[in-house]
Structure formats: structure tokens, C-alpha cells
Amino acid sequence: MKNFLVLTSAVLALAVAGCGSDSSSGGSQGSDSSSGSSSSSSSSSSSGAAAQSGNVAVDIKGFAFTPKDLTVKKGTKITWTNDDSAAHNVTAGDNTFKSKTLNQGDTYSWTADKAGQWDYVCTFHANMTAHITVTG
Ligand SMILES: [Cu+2]
């Protein structure tokens, strides 16, 4: 009889404690994980560390290339689109890829067929610099 009472109160205490810790930790974990995942995903996308593949677009807008730093896998087709009313071009430092003059709405594509790193510019606007990394 005495043992039964002890056991019963122990089970009750566990149930109460379990309930309490479940709801409190569940609530804090939910807000922690949601804020944590959103901040980590935004930081990883802004760093651009992950290599993209398939078809990748680069916007030419506001006298800048976006993204300015791009990492892609070998075989990726990169397409630049000039969204500015001003004319621009895409010219690699070593001429590995080089567009004609792109007027507004024009596009230029280069398939990254070898691994390496390229700085490129718009030769009309020397401050329009950008960088491409192609992983093997
Ligand atoms: Cu330009």
C-alpha cells in the first residue's frame, strides 16, 4: 500500500514534469530553429559559396553585375541579360568569354566548359567588375 502510493505520486510527478518541459522547450525550440534557419539560409545565399549548375542568370543592372561573385559547376550555362538602358558588355580578363555590345534586353551566354577563375568587366565602364569561379 505504501509502495503503491509512492509509485503513483512518482508517475504523477513525471507526467507533470514531462508536460511542463514539453510545452516550454517545444515553444522555445520552435522560435529558435525558425530564426536560426532563416538567418543561416540568407547568409549562405549571400556568400554564394555553393556551386550552381544548369542554367544560371546574371543580371546587368544599375551599372553592376548581379551576382558579382558567382560559383558554378563545369558545364553550367551562364546567361547575362542587360537590364540597363545603357549599353554594356561582358569581357573576361583573358578573353575566355567575350560578348558583343549588349543593348537593353540583349543577352549573352557562355557555357563554362573548363574549371578556373575569371575576373571580367564591362569594358565601357571600368568599375563594372565581377568574378566567376568554375569548379571541376
Ligand atoms: Cu557597362
Side-chain angles (χ1 to χ4, degrees):
M1 189 60 178
K2 190 178 178 186
N3 281 344
F4 174 79
L5 282 173
V6 169
L7 192 63
T8 303
S9 58
V11 167
L12 279 173
L14 278 174
V16 169
C19 255
S21 72
D22 267 3
S23 61
S24 67
S25 72
S28 67
Q29 275 175 359
S31 61
D32 279 356
S33 67
S34 66
S35 66
S37 67
S38 67
S39 69
S40 69
S41 70
S42 67
S43 68
S44 69
S45 66
S46 64
S47 73
Q52 301 181 64
S53 59
N55 295 296
V56 174
V58 176
D59 289 326
I60 307 173
K61 193 168 190 177
F63 292 81
F65 297 102
T66 304
K68 184 179 169 71
D69 280 290
L70 181 64
T71 300
V72 300
K73 290 178 180 163
K74 196 167 106 175
T76 299
K77 183 182 181 184
I78 304 164
T79 300
W80 288 262
T81 301
N82 182 11
D83 291 327
D84 276 344
S85 55
H88 297 294
N89 64 40
V90 176
T91 306
D94 63 0
N95 288 333
T96 295
F97 51 92
K98 183 179 171 117
S99 78
K100 64 180 177 61
T101 297
L102 302 176
N103 294 307
Q104 188 169 34
D106 286 348
T107 64
Y108 167 69
S109 294
W110 174 62
T111 298
D113 52 3
K114 57 182 176 179
Q117 302 218 25
W118 288 272
D119 288 311
Y120 68 94
V121 298
C122 165
T123 59
F124 301 143
H125 310 104
N127 61 324
M128 288 179 63
T129 61
H131 188 79
I132 287 180
T133 301
V134 180
T135 61

